[in-house]
Amino acid sequence: MFKNLLILFFISITPFLSAQTSVIEELQILETPEQVESYLEIKNSKKSNLITFNEEMHKTILAKELFKLNVGGTKVNENEFDKTFYKVIQKTENTYHRVAYIYLDGSKYNINDINIIREKIIKKYHNGVPFNILAKQYSMDENANKGGDLGWFQKGKMQSDFESEALNEVHELNDIFNIDIPSENLYYVVLKTHEPKNISEIEVLKIVEAKN
């Protein structure tokens, strides 16, 4: 119902939006993600959207400049053909986790063979072979190309059985351990590469306006 009220609100001000002289005036009206969502539905422009920037994952000059702004802060980039307006709508801080893994397919190996392979992997790791090299050698999915690194992820984003064990607080930094999900033929060697980290995120409204 709240969303419907927002849509009615923006419908009521559509004549104003159409007659306005500046995108800045539009930006001044928009304060919450819900208002932005309704605005974008009415605007119906492929060039206008709400973007999430993560301070750890987005390292561009633009992202760094946007993170310096307070909520409600705006920035304008201009080139020969158009102007791009940015407004920071919301700032949050969320806990992220990071591990690397080597995946072994239980439909292609029996459990005895899998355990032999995993023992070999862990022994090589303890003897100084980097985990990313071992992942490229042994892992049986595309993430092997990244050395098994999952990157930063939030709780609730991974397969539940994998996640519950990978994020178990019993595992300390640089611990290497196995995870078995036999019901799905999923078997892993996992390395805890980072401690949990609180990472800032911003939601930014982007509006592109062609120059006359």
Side-chain angles (χ1 to χ4, degrees):
M1 181 176 179
F2 179 65
K3 180 180 178 181
N4 291 337
L5 289 174
L6 284 172
I7 292 173
L8 288 173
F9 167 71
F10 279 103
I11 289 174
S12 70
I13 65 170
T14 297
F16 165 75
L17 295 177
S18 300
Q20 68 185 358
T21 58
S22 172
V23 172
I24 295 299
E25 293 175 341
E26 292 186 15
L27 293 178
Q28 289 174 347
I29 298 171
L30 304 167
E31 296 181 350
T32 68
E34 292 82 9
Q35 289 176 345
V36 170
E37 182 182 348
S38 298
Y39 166 80
L40 291 174
E41 286 184 13
I42 293 171
K43 194 78 172 177
N44 193 27
S45 170
K46 293 181 180 180
K47 292 185 177 181
S48 299
N49 51 12
L50 189 63
I51 305 170
T52 299
F53 289 90
N54 179 295
E55 196 165 25
E56 185 66 35
M57 301 176 194
H58 300 102
K59 301 287 190 178
T60 63
I61 294 174
L62 172 63
K64 291 177 180 179
E65 291 176 346
L66 292 173
F67 271 105
K68 293 178 182 179
L69 299 176
N70 294 322
V71 173
T74 59
K75 175 178 175 56
V76 181
N77 283 352
E78 187 172 351
N79 61 36
E80 182 180 354
F81 304 103
D82 52 43
K83 289 184 179 180
T84 303
F85 300 81
Y86 300 92
K87 180 174 181 177
V88 178
I89 302 297
Q90 182 171 267
K91 280 190 175 184
T92 57
E93 189 173 82
N94 298 299
T95 301
Y96 280 78
H97 306 269
R98 193 165 182 175
V99 300
Y101 70 85
I102 294 170
Y103 163 63
L104 299 173
D105 187 345
S107 68
K108 297 181 179 179
Y109 291 107
N110 63 49
I111 187 61
N112 290 331
D113 290 338
I114 286 172
N115 286 333
I116 290 171
I117 295 170
R118 292 196 293 195
E119 287 176 7
K120 184 184 297 184
I121 289 169
I122 292 173
K123 183 177 181 179
K124 286 186 176 181
Y125 175 76
H126 287 309
N127 285 337
V129 180
F131 192 87
N132 65 318
I133 300 298
L134 293 169
K136 291 176 180 178
Q137 181 179 356
Y138 290 100
S139 195
M140 300 173 69
D141 69 5
E142 293 181 358
N143 202 43
N145 297 326
K146 299 179 181 179
D149 183 19
L150 263 180
W152 292 104
F153 64 93
Q154 286 182 274
K155 187 175 181 179
K157 299 297 184 181
M158 298 295 162
Q159 202 273 357
S160 59
D161 291 329
F162 176 92
E163 188 177 87
S164 62
E165 183 60 33
L167 304 187
N168 192 319
E169 293 181 359
V170 71
H171 301 303
E172 298 181 352
L173 183 64
N174 296 321
D175 274 357
I176 188 168
F177 51 94
N178 296 332
I179 296 179
D180 295 358
I181 310 175
S183 61
E184 299 185 37
N185 285 320
L186 305 175
Y187 297 89
Y188 300 91
V189 179
V190 178
L191 177 68
K192 183 173 180 177
T193 56
H194 295 73
E195 293 286 9
K197 183 176 183 178
N198 292 329
I199 299 176
S200 296
E201 294 183 326
I202 51 176
E203 290 192 68
V204 178
L205 173 61
K206 174 186 175 182
I207 298 175
V208 180
E209 183 183 60
K211 286 185 175 181
N212 295 329

